[in-house]
Amino acid sequence: MTDTFTIAIDGPAAAGKGTISKAIAAQFGFAHLDTGLLYRAVGARVLAGVEPIEAAITLQAEDLDRDDLRTAEVAQAASKVAVIAEVRAALVDFQRAFARRAGGAVLDGRDIGTVICPNAEVKLYVTASAEVRAKRRFLELTGKGEVTSLETVLADVMARDDRDMNRAEAPMKPAADALTIDTSELSIEQALQVALKEISAQRMP
Ligand code: CDP
């Protein structure tokens, strides 16, 4: 029997999904896919002059290895290409195959529990207030040498939230059966404990 187990983690920018996903994957020995990176890689190609749908259809593994995908500019480009139905469609098969790989998988994004893996064994929606998220992202970006202000980061985060929540195709929202974890007042360790408890509950026969 093939041993598959999918953990879907959705939520807005800088809520802590990435950190929690990586920690969960490490804990259980599961593979981890940051699906935002797919959209960032498409966005980066568009900034380089490629047409969006073409950029998604011809996306290569090495496009994900670029070291400039975490910038604020690429994040905005990602959320703009992410509204295009054909761009999203081009990325579905890869994500679904990853989710069902033997040995278990954690995928984080915006539509994993709702569209990509509606049958995931565990669904989490990790969120936090826009102010807290902007502060975290500001520290992350400035820590990597990007020059910006807290106001700019907050405006970017809110613009992206708005675009991600209000698009027609696969809008960001918790799946009906997702557990929401608000990390505004939780440490990473505390948020992780809540997530692990939910996973254990679902893994028990
Ligand atoms: O790291 P951060 O949370 O800031 O963003 P990300 O997860 O890297 O995603 C960048 C953008 O890609 C998001 O703002 C979404 O517009 C888009 N995205 C999406 O539409 N669907 C996903 N499953 C993942 C990301």
Side-chain angles (χ1 to χ4, degrees), residues 90-157:
L91 304 175
V92 167
D93 288 351
F94 175 76
Q95 295 176 81
R96 289 201 176 134
F98 191 97
R100 299 319 281 172
R101 61 166 45 206
V106 183
L107 286 81
D108 74 270
R110 301 290 186 285
D111 63 340
I112 308 303
T114 50
V115 174
I116 302 295
C117 305
N119 297 321
E121 281 77 7
V122 175
K123 296 181 191 175
L124 304 175
Y125 190 81
V126 179
T127 188
S129 73
E131 288 70 21
V132 166
R133 291 187 287 117
K135 205 180 239 174
R136 289 179 187 160
R137 185 50 51 92
F138 172 73
L139 292 173
E140 228 174 86
L141 290 171
T142 52
K144 283 187 298 193
E146 198 164 322
V147 179
T148 187
S149 68
L150 185 56
E151 293 68 32
T152 306
V153 176
L154 179 60
D156 278 359
V157 159

Side-chain angles (χ1 to χ4, degrees), residues 10-18 34-40 69-70 74-83 88 95 108-112 116 137 140 157 160-161 163-164 167 169-170 172:
D10 292 305
K17 307 186 294 296
D34 168 2
T35 65
L37 215 52
L38 302 174
Y39 292 89
R40 284 175 181 262
L69 297 181
R70 299 279 175 202
V74 171
Q76 288 297 332
S79 82
K80 287 179 189 164
V81 300
V83 306
R88 305 199 70 84
Q95 295 176 81
D108 74 270
R110 301 290 186 285
D111 63 340
I112 308 303
I116 302 295
R137 185 50 51 92
E140 228 174 86
V157 159
R160 228 149 34 96
D161 283 359
R163 218 179 280 127
D164 291 348
R167 65 185 176 216
E169 205 67 33
M172 173 176 76

